Amino acid sequence: MQNEAREAWMDWLRDAHAMESQAETMLNAQIGRLENYPALRMRLEQHLRETEVQRQSLERLFESLGEDASGIKAGMGKLMALGQGFAGAFASDEVMKGSLASYTFEHMEIASYTALIAGAEELGMAEAVAVLTPILEQERAMAAWLAENLPPLTRSFLARAEADLEAKR
Ligand code: MG
Ligand code: FE
């Protein structure tokens, strides 16, 4: 029973790793396309650096739990296809579509790490709790930043559009 529970939890950890790989792809695509929104771009760049470290932390955790790291990377292909850019990349309001997608993505990450941490506590995996808790905090901070900055970003988008400046990205 304990083994089955642990296996379920390890699957969630693999999913979290695939999610972070997808986050890297998405963030890279958004950063590469943004031109007129420097505050958003800087925050996305900061979160991209955090995301790379998160992915590496998950890989180290996976290995320290006695799992073969090639297993965690095997799951990457599955979500990789979804991470090719993001759905709104060619919309005329791409910066808005991207921000909504980021807001959604951060909340999926918050949910994933909340479940992983609760599971690790239940299964007595203190080391995993210690690794995952600071990651959850970074996802919460990113989600909070997006929530706070969505109204000014929206105003900035509309002001640029009204002034016939490029607003799209
Ligand atoms: Mg993340
Ligand atoms: Fe994130």
Side-chain angles (χ1 to χ4, degrees):
M1 207 54 175
Q2 171 71 13
N3 278 348
E4 238 173 88
R6 189 188 150 98
E7 257 322 295
W9 189 91
M10 292 302 304
D11 276 344
W12 302 342
L13 186 64
R14 274 183 209 97
D15 290 344
H17 181 269
M19 177 177 73
E20 295 303 348
S21 300
Q22 190 191 353
E24 279 183 52
T25 307
M26 260 183 70
L27 287 164
N28 264 315
Q30 282 176 288
I31 290 163
R33 296 181 57 81
L34 274 177
E35 283 173 8
N36 300 304
Y37 301 91
L40 176 61
R41 190 185 162 118
M42 275 184 62
R43 189 61 180 88
L44 292 177
E45 281 170 349
Q46 182 196 332
H47 198 54
L48 174 59
R49 290 190 295 271
E50 290 171 347
T51 299
E52 287 162 355
V53 177
Q54 290 173 0
R55 179 178 51 73
Q56 290 159 5
S57 299
L58 295 184
E59 286 167 8
R60 274 197 303 275
L61 175 60
F62 200 70
E63 282 174 0
S64 78
L65 291 169
E67 303 285 329
D68 180 3
S70 63
I72 202 166
K73 286 171 183 165
M76 274 171 70
K78 194 170 57 179
L79 280 170
M80 216 51 157
L82 288 170
Q84 302 304 321
F86 54 98
F90 298 99
S92 60
D93 60 346
E94 130 176 18
V95 64
M96 297 300 302
K97 295 281 192 291
S99 296
L100 300 194
S102 293
Y103 187 84
T104 304
F105 199 94
E106 293 308 326
H107 285 82
M108 183 171 76
E109 294 187 289
I110 289 169
S112 300
Y113 289 112
T114 299
L116 273 169
I117 290 166
E121 281 166 350
E122 178 64 23
L123 298 173
M125 303 163 88
E127 186 204 348
V129 174
V131 171
L132 298 169
T133 300
I135 299 181
L136 174 60
E137 285 316 308
Q138 289 178 332
E139 310 302 10
R140 283 198 177 127
M142 185 62 188
W145 189 93
L146 288 166
E148 216 170 282
N149 285 271
L150 208 46
L153 180 77
T154 306
R155 288 191 289 272
S156 167
F157 173 87
L158 292 174
R160 292 188 70 86
E162 281 185 319
D164 277 326
L165 295 167
E166 195 205 51
K168 175 183 159 80
R169 57 196 180 111

